[in-house]
Amino acid sequence: MIQAHAVRLFTERGYDATTVTDVAEAAGVSPMTVYRHFPTKEDLVLIDQHGQLVAECIAATPAAQPLVRRIGSALIDSATALTSGRHGNDLTADGRFLLARLRLMISTPALRAKHLDNHYALQQAIVTAIEDDATDPETTFHAQAAASACLAVLHTALTRWAEDDGRAELPDLIAKALAAAFGDDIVDTRRDSGRPQPAGSPTRLAGADPGDPRCVR
Amino acid sequence: MIQAHAVRLFTERGYDATTVTDVAEAAGVSPMTVYRHFPTKEDLVLIDQHGQLVAECIAATPAAQPLVRRIGSALIDSATALTSGRHGNDLTADGRFLLARLRLMISTPALRAKHLDNHYALQQAIVTAIEDDATDPETTFHAQAAASACLAVLHTALTRWAEDDGRAELPDLIAKALAAAFGDDIVDTRRDSGRPQPAGSPTRLAGADPGDPRCVR
DNA sequence: ACCAAGACGATAGTAACTACCAGTGCGGTA
DNA sequence: TACCGCACTGGTAGTTACTATCGTCTTGGT
């Protein structure tokens, strides 16, 4: 409730121009209560249900494949879970709320910075999920590099999704961005099994897609 | 001068436990003067001479190669320029200062967040440096994904370098991290020309360079 | 009806900034 | 030498995010 008012006010007046007191008044509570539920002003936008989701998806992914492909699949799967349920081309209320928060995150420096740092924490979670035993520093370094790269690509896809007002399918954008960074052969093509594809949605890249310009890269 | 005192105090007492007033007193100036030279407390650690450096290195890189390799080369080159000049195994004073700032950046959440956001700005600079003309959104998306991934890998390498107390060669670490994320064949092998290689340094990965087979990563 | 526990609120305080105005040293010009 | 503009510095007061502490109130279980 508090959060909804906060996101609305931030969107209307801007993040910096809105004080926590404003949010409290709009929500009909005292500033103290706001701070009790959301330790920082940034948390009014940035609550992160994404964290465990990705870690679980990692665990559910077969280990015998390249690191980047494994992490990429987990990211796509979690994004599918996050944005599932839309009516035709319209997002659900949840989806619209997510989009509004995402736009704030991208356009407001303070929020963007903290969000990127949250990704950094998520990176650590991914790395420990991948190597539940090994303590070889070289292996860890490997996993850190792969995970950080994948998360950066995820952020690029999220940005694009927000710019596109959520019209495109987020999992598709992530797959596309992964392919752009790591090569077309890195994206898992077997994921089509899940949710049926709305007609007219962007092409299902990966593998052989004759229309793909294959661009310079 | 102010900055040197700041980094020392932050390292000794911790970033959060040191106030700007403390820094001002240590430097023998008023808090006002500190704010005049460094708009925010974070800027006492995070001044970024890296920005233009990377953009210049991008411009100096041949365009006819995969994006990731091109950006990776630029990052390696700029790192070489940044850490050049060491006496035997010891860093110069500049190098030690850089390392101290890096350690603060990595261990302090607020600094880490802002640094990652600076990378985000750097990413935009790289993208515009790459496509000085094209406005095709797909191409831009491509470049965004590649640049963000490369910068994330750079951060991983920087972290490792700091953990290693700057003993390893930073350009080598970056090359290694790039290879870990994108595959051994992505790292440019022709960069050996510059500074002579200390004996016993890690192997110069990336097997040969068979004529640069134009993309497919 | 009573009691313990958690939720809420008010007050006061710290620290990072910002806006505004005043003093100080310094080179160039008459 | 006297004067003027200019850059640098400093002081004061205010805003805002956030914390600590304490008192109040509501709620659920017996």
Side-chain angles (χ1 to χ4, degrees):
Chain A
M1 193 44 115
I2 293 176
Q3 209 186 5
H5 284 286
V7 171
R8 182 176 52 80
L9 288 180
F10 291 161
T11 302
E12 288 171 6
R13 313 182 193 171
Y15 178 79
D16 291 324
T18 308
T19 70
V20 175
T21 305
D22 292 338
V23 174
E25 279 175 9
V29 296
S30 83
M32 284 305 308
T33 304
V34 176
Y35 281 118
R36 207 140 2 219
H37 290 300
F38 303 90
T40 72
K41 187 183 178 185
E42 286 133 356
D43 289 324
L44 283 166
V45 180
L46 292 182
I47 42 89
D48 220 10
Q49 67 275 59
H50 211 145
Q52 304 103 330
L53 197 56
V54 173
E56 289 165 16
C57 288
I58 287 274
T61 307
Q65 53 181 331
L67 269 190
V68 168
R69 167 177 287 201
R70 192 175 168 197
I71 299 171
S73 299
L75 293 182
I76 292 173
D77 289 347
S78 66
T80 305
L82 208 65
T83 62
S84 67
R86 43 164 82 199
H87 313 123
N89 254 350
D90 283 346
L91 291 171
T92 61
D94 272 0
R96 256 180 281 117
F97 188 57
L98 181 65
L99 201 54
R101 285 167 44 212
L102 201 50
R103 262 195 287 263
L104 282 170
M105 275 171 29
I106 291 167
S107 61
T108 309
L111 293 174
R112 192 176 52 216
K114 192 148 182 181
H115 177 244
L116 290 171
D117 195 52
N118 284 350
H119 268 196
Y120 189 73
L122 180 52
Q123 173 185 334
Q124 307 309 321
I126 290 175
V127 169
T128 55
I130 285 176
E131 42 174 42
D132 25 33
D133 49 342
T135 50
D136 174 32
E138 286 311 303
T139 310
T140 304
F141 186 45
H142 217 90
Q144 295 276 5
S148 66
C150 286
L151 287 176
V153 169
L154 168 69
H155 187 262
T156 301
L158 284 173
T159 302
R160 169 80 165 205
W161 189 61
E163 284 170 358
D164 199 45
D165 258 330
R167 275 187 290 270
E169 296 281 338
L170 181 55
D172 287 343
L173 286 179
I174 298 175
K176 220 162 164 177
L178 287 168
F182 300 106
D184 290 340
D185 53 329
I186 208 64
V187 181
D188 189 357
T189 57
R190 293 171 317 232
R191 71 182 195 77
D192 291 309
S193 51
R195 166 179 45 91
Q197 201 56 24
S201 87
T203 57
R204 179 66 80 225
L205 50 99
D209 179 0
D212 197 352
R214 197 48 148 232
C215 78
V216 184
R217 293 266 343 276
Chain B
M1 193 44 113
I2 293 177
Q3 209 186 5
H5 285 285
V7 170
R8 182 175 52 78
L9 288 180
F10 291 160
T11 303
E12 288 172 5
R13 313 182 193 171
Y15 179 79
D16 291 325
T18 307
T19 70
V20 174
T21 305
D22 291 339
V23 174
E25 280 176 8
V29 295
S30 82
M32 286 305 308
T33 304
V34 176
Y35 282 118
R36 197 115 39 195
H37 290 301
F38 303 89
T40 72
K41 186 183 177 186
E42 287 133 357
D43 289 324
L44 283 165
V45 179
L46 291 184
I47 41 91
D48 220 10
Q49 68 274 59
H50 210 146
Q52 306 104 329
L53 198 55
V54 173
E56 288 165 16
C57 289
I58 287 274
T61 306
Q65 53 180 330
L67 268 189
V68 168
R69 167 177 288 201
R70 191 174 168 199
I71 300 171
S73 298
L75 293 182
I76 292 173
D77 289 346
S78 66
T80 304
L82 208 65
T83 62
S84 67
R86 43 164 83 201
H87 311 125
N89 254 349
D90 285 346
L91 291 171
T92 61
D94 272 0
R96 257 180 278 119
F97 189 57
L98 181 65
L99 200 55
R101 284 167 45 212
L102 201 51
R103 262 194 288 265
L104 282 171
M105 276 170 30
I106 292 167
S107 60
T108 308
L111 293 174
R112 193 177 51 216
K114 191 146 185 183
H115 177 245
L116 290 171
D117 195 51
N118 285 349
H119 268 196
Y120 190 72
L122 180 52
Q123 172 185 334
Q124 307 308 323
I126 290 175
V127 170
T128 55
I130 285 177
E131 41 175 42
D132 26 30
D133 50 341
T135 49
D136 174 33
E138 286 309 303
T139 309
T140 303
F141 186 44
H142 221 89
Q144 294 276 4
S148 67
C150 286
L151 287 176
V153 168
L154 168 68
H155 188 263
T156 302
L158 284 173
T159 302
R160 170 79 164 207
W161 189 62
E163 284 169 357
D164 200 44
D165 258 331
R167 274 187 290 271
E169 295 282 338
L170 181 55
D172 287 343
L173 286 179
I174 297 174
K176 222 163 165 177
L178 287 169
F182 301 106
D184 289 341
D185 54 329
I186 207 62
V187 181
D188 188 358
T189 58
R190 291 171 313 233
R191 72 182 194 76
D192 293 308
S193 51
R195 167 179 43 92
Q197 201 56 24
S201 85
T203 55
R204 183 61 81 225
L205 44 93
D209 180 4
D212 186 14
R214 177 149 284 270
C215 119
V216 184
R217 298 193 45 246

